[in-house]
């Protein structure tokens, strides 16, 4: 999922929460709202009695008070909420230990990563085998299109595993992951569009690119590099259910011979590949 995924929590709800936890902002907001209301009434009186000075003064005060209201309301929102608001993603935050925000750099027990490590791009760039898997992986195609083309020109082997668009039940389930009323047709269109674009790449490199679809809602998506070698690496983003997702999906990376999670994910992804069917 990407930042364009639908969200249903109203911005007013987030603003109200922010104001309630910041008394100073709440006071400023209240005073500004009072001035706006009073100036609105003055504007009406000025128009009714044909008094230009009252009308103009009230209009100016109203605009200033309204801007103050909006600015105070927005500033009352936390930085993470502002980022979510600008991205159109206001789903409930995921619970994390001790109330700390998800980490993008730290490693260790209990840490929730919302970004892939910097090694992802280098792993992608040096891989001789690239396995892309997920519901539709449209964002990967957009972000790495040029790199995919470069790697295929050099003979890189590529596998792509996506959700079968003909499996109505799986498509319906993927729409259920979003809170509110996400449309099944929207998810279906994204899957079909991705398959169409990946198929164009396959037609250009038929000996290097394999595409399969599976009638099963994958629990995660991501990348697997060099899966048939001892230098395998996997980067997973877990699909969330009706909590914050988009670019904030929980992400995990595993590599190295001794990493048991790597062996588990590799075995599972390869098993799903065997269970999938080649695209027509």
């Amino acid at each position: 999922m990407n930042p364009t995924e639908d969200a249903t929590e109203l911005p007013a709800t987030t603003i109200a929460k922010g104001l309630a936890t910041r008394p100073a902002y709440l006071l400023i907001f209240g005073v500004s709202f009072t001035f706006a209301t009073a100036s609105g009434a003055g504007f009406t009186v000025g128009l009714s009695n044909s008094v230009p000075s009252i009308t103009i003064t009230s209009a100016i005060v109203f605009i200033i008070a309204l801007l103050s209201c909006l600015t105070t309301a927005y500033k009352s929102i936390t930085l993470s909420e502002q980022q979510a608001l600008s991205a159109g993603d206001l789903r409930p935050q995921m619970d994390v230990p001790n109330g700390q925000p998800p980490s993008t750099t730290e490693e260790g027990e209990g840490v929730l990563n919302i970004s892939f490590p910097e090694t992802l791009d280098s792993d992608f760039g040096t891989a001789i085998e690239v396995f892309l898997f997920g519901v539709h992986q449209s964002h990967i195609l957009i972000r790495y299109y040029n790199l995919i083309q470069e790697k295929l020109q050099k003979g890189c082997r590529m596998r792509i595993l996506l959700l079968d668009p003909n499996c109505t039940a799986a498509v319906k389930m993927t729409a259920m992951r979003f809170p509110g009323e996400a449309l099944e047709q929207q998810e279906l269109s994204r899957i079909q569009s991705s398959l169409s674009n990946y198929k164009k790449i396959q037609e250009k490199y038929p000996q290097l690119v394999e595409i399969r679809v599976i009638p099963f809602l994958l629990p995660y998506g991501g990348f697997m590099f060099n899966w048939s070698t001892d230098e395998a690496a996997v980067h997973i983003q877990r699909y969330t259910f009706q909590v914050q997702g988009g670019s904030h999906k929980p992400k995990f990376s595993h590599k190295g011979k001794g990493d048991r999670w790597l062996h588990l994910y590799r075995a599972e992804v390869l098993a799903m590949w065997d269970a999938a069917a080649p695209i027509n």
Side-chain angles (χ1 to χ4, degrees), residues 123-140:
D123 286 346
F124 203 148
T126 59
I128 59 174
E129 297 174 328
V130 174
F131 200 138
L132 307 178
F133 51 91
V135 170
H136 52 76
Q137 297 299 58
S138 57
H139 63 292
I140 290 179

Side-chain angles (χ1 to χ4, degrees), residues 252-268:
F252 310 93
S253 297
H254 302 278
K255 62 173 60 178
K257 297 179 181 179
D259 193 317
R260 295 184 179 181
W261 283 105
L262 168 63
H263 298 307
L264 173 64
Y265 282 125
R266 176 165 58 181
E268 189 169 41

Side-chain angles (χ1 to χ4, degrees), residues 5-223:
E5 292 172 341
D6 292 338
T8 57
E9 183 181 341
L10 296 177
T13 305
T14 302
I15 291 172
K17 292 178 182 177
L19 290 173
T21 57
R22 294 168 175 78
Y25 282 167
L26 181 60
L27 176 61
I28 296 173
F29 183 87
V31 172
S32 301
F33 183 79
T34 301
F35 269 100
T37 304
S39 59
F43 182 79
T44 304
V45 171
L47 287 178
S48 301
N49 296 290
S50 300
V51 183
S53 60
I54 295 179
T55 302
I56 296 173
T57 301
S58 298
I60 294 174
V61 173
F62 174 79
I63 293 173
I64 294 174
L66 180 60
L67 291 175
S68 177
C69 277
L70 295 175
T71 302
T72 304
Y74 187 73
K75 285 185 176 180
S76 71
I77 306 174
T78 64
L79 177 60
S80 62
E81 288 169 338
Q82 290 177 25
Q83 294 172 338
L85 180 61
S86 63
D89 189 348
L90 285 173
R91 279 167 279 182
Q93 296 281 347
M94 294 173 288
D95 292 332
V96 292
N98 304 320
Q100 296 298 315
S103 171
T104 60
T105 56
E106 297 179 5
E107 296 181 358
E109 185 177 356
V111 173
L112 184 62
N113 295 310
I114 62 173
S115 298
F116 283 122
E118 295 180 358
T119 56
L120 170 60
D121 288 353
S122 61
D123 286 346
F124 203 148
T126 59
I128 59 174
E129 297 174 328
V130 174
F131 200 138
L132 307 178
F133 51 91
V135 170
H136 52 76
Q137 297 299 58
S138 57
H139 63 292
I140 290 179
L141 182 63
I142 295 172
R143 178 177 177 179
Y144 292 107
Y145 181 82
N146 291 333
L147 180 58
I148 289 174
Q149 295 288 338
E150 291 175 6
K151 296 195 67 60
L152 289 172
Q153 290 172 7
K154 295 179 180 179
C156 177
R157 181 184 175 193
M158 185 168 295
R159 285 182 174 180
I160 300 162
L161 176 65
L162 303 183
L163 183 67
D164 187 347
N166 294 318
C167 182
T168 304
V171 173
K172 183 175 182 178
M173 284 190 287
T174 192
M176 287 176 63
R177 294 178 300 156
F178 308 109
E181 301 178 357
L183 300 178
E184 296 173 28
Q185 183 59 44
Q186 173 181 304
E187 286 299 283
L188 177 60
S189 296
R190 295 170 76 178
I191 297 169
Q192 291 173 331
S193 176
S194 291
L195 282 172
S196 177
N197 289 326
Y198 281 120
K199 190 172 182 180
K200 291 177 182 178
I201 296 176
Q202 183 189 42
E203 291 172 350
K204 189 175 180 180
Y205 303 95
Q207 303 302 318
L208 298 174
V209 180
E210 298 177 86
I211 304 175
R212 293 188 183 183
V213 292
I214 186 169
F216 171 71
L217 180 57
L218 285 72
Y220 48 76
F223 312 77

Side-chain angles (χ1 to χ4, degrees), residues 230-251:
D230 292 335
E231 303 299 325
V234 63
H235 299 276
I236 296 290
Q237 56 179 7
R238 180 183 175 276
Y239 295 136
T240 54
F241 185 79
Q242 300 201 5
V243 295
Q244 186 168 346
S247 61
H248 291 166
K249 292 186 186 75
K251 296 176 175 63

